[in-house]
């Protein structure tokens, strides 16, 4: 059976790697990307839907297929306004999940973060925790939550601070043993490959993968 995939956030570190994987994957015959701006790529499998995410309701019918991969996310430097930040990291993914459930999509994959907890005192981990809890209430057939620690890999827009921290993790990672393995860094391409591999499995339920699990998939 040929699959149809939908990717939200295909221009980012994880989404761009995932897009390349799916376009070359025999099991996927169509890949729809939801983008704010046209991506500089053409492929016989690829359909680009340029949208205003504030008007997601208009594209309800398009959120149909085998799997939705939500790689949306922002940063404080890009989005200093917390209300807008919440829209991007919480509201958009949740709405996509609701559309996926209503359209009987088989799987929903979402990138969260290590330490996600709705009771956290930190804005970012609290927000991710709220998203995870809300997604679990949607009634999706198969929900896959990825909780990476530090993400590494090539980005089109350099982030000097992340590059520095990534360098530190090269030293720290081997020291994170046992229960601390979940705090090891994850390469964006590794995470994308894990999302792809899990999408080929026919499993119902809610699944959560921390960095240590992601690195083994």
């Amino acid at each position: 059976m040929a699959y149809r995939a939908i990717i939200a956030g295909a221009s980012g570190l994880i989404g761009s790697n995932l897009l390349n994987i799916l376009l070359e994957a025999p099991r996927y015959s169509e890949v729809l990307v939801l983008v704010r701006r046209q991506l500089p790529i053409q492929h016989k499998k690829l359909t680009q839907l340029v949208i205003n995410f504030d008007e997601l309701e208009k594209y309800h019918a398009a959120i149909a297929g085998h799997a939705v991969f939500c790689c949306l996310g922002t940063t404080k430097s890009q989005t200093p306004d917390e209300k807008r930040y919440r829209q991007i990291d919480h509201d958009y993914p949740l709405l996509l999940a609701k559309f996926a459930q209503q359209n009987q999509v088989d799987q929903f994959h979402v990138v969260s973060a290590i330490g996600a907890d709705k009771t956290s005192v930190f804005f970012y981990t609290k927000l991710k925790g709220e998203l995870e809890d809300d997604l679990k209430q949607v009634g999706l057939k198969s929900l896959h939550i990825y909780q990476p620690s530090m993400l590494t890999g090539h980005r089109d827009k350099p982030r000097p601070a992340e590059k520095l921290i990534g360098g530190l993790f090269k030293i720290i990672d081997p020291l994170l043993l046992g229960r601390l393995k979940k705090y090891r860094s994850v390469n964006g391409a590794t995470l994308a490959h894990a999302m792809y591999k899990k999408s080929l499995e026919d499993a119902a339920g809610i699944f959560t993968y921390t960095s240590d699990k992601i690195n083994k998939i």
Side-chain angles (χ1 to χ4, degrees):
M1 180 183 295
Y3 291 150
R4 181 177 191 263
I6 301 95
I7 305 177
S11 63
L13 173 64
I14 302 164
S16 59
N17 278 287
L18 179 60
L19 175 57
N20 290 332
I21 291 170
L22 295 180
L23 290 178
E24 298 304 319
R27 292 288 295 276
Y28 282 88
S29 61
E30 182 182 355
V31 181
L32 171 70
V33 294
L34 308 178
V35 291
R36 294 183 179 88
R37 290 177 294 275
Q38 191 88 4
L39 299 177
I41 180 174
Q42 292 184 336
H43 194 282
K44 62 182 180 180
K45 292 184 183 180
L46 177 63
T47 301
Q48 300 197 44
L49 189 57
V50 179
I51 70 171
N52 178 351
F53 278 84
D54 291 328
E55 300 176 345
L56 263 176
E57 292 85 355
K58 292 182 179 180
Y59 311 97
H60 179 286
I63 313 304
H66 172 67
V68 172
F69 299 93
C70 185
C71 307
L72 293 172
T74 188
T75 64
K76 275 288 187 179
S77 60
Q78 292 174 321
T79 314
D81 180 72
E82 288 191 354
K83 183 178 179 180
R84 183 61 177 161
Y85 199 121
R86 182 179 180 82
Q87 282 184 308
I88 297 169
D89 272 50
H90 176 277
D91 298 351
Y92 296 162
L94 182 59
L95 194 53
L96 285 170
K98 289 178 178 179
F99 293 162
Q101 190 275 334
Q102 292 163 9
N103 292 340
Q104 299 183 327
V105 172
D106 295 326
Q107 302 178 0
F108 190 88
H109 298 252
V110 63
V111 180
S112 181
I114 193 72
D117 183 349
K118 66 178 181 180
T119 66
S120 175
V121 298
F122 300 105
F123 173 77
Y124 181 70
T125 48
K126 177 180 174 65
L127 185 62
K128 291 298 187 182
E130 290 175 351
L131 172 61
E132 289 189 13
D133 278 12
D134 290 342
L135 288 174
K136 291 173 183 177
Q137 303 305 312
V138 172
L140 293 155
K141 177 184 175 182
S142 183
L143 172 61
H144 298 259
I145 300 170
Y146 302 84
Q147 296 181 334
S149 181
M150 176 67 192
L151 281 168
T152 62
H154 174 73
R155 295 181 187 271
D156 289 335
K157 295 181 180 180
R159 298 180 183 179
E162 286 191 4
K163 186 175 181 180
L164 175 61
I165 297 172
L168 292 174
F169 264 87
K170 289 182 179 180
I171 301 172
I172 297 171
D173 279 344
L175 305 177
L176 299 176
L177 305 172
R179 294 182 180 180
L180 297 179
K181 283 185 178 181
K182 66 181 181 180
Y183 296 105
R184 288 182 177 180
S185 62
V186 178
N187 188 277
T190 300
L191 176 49
H193 187 68
M195 296 174 79
Y196 160 67
K197 287 190 70 176
K198 285 298 175 182
S199 78
L200 300 180
E201 298 179 3
D202 183 18
I206 299 172
F207 308 91
T208 302
Y209 315 97
T210 49
S211 289
D212 52 329
K213 295 177 182 178
I214 294 168
N215 282 322
K216 289 182 179 179
I217 296 173

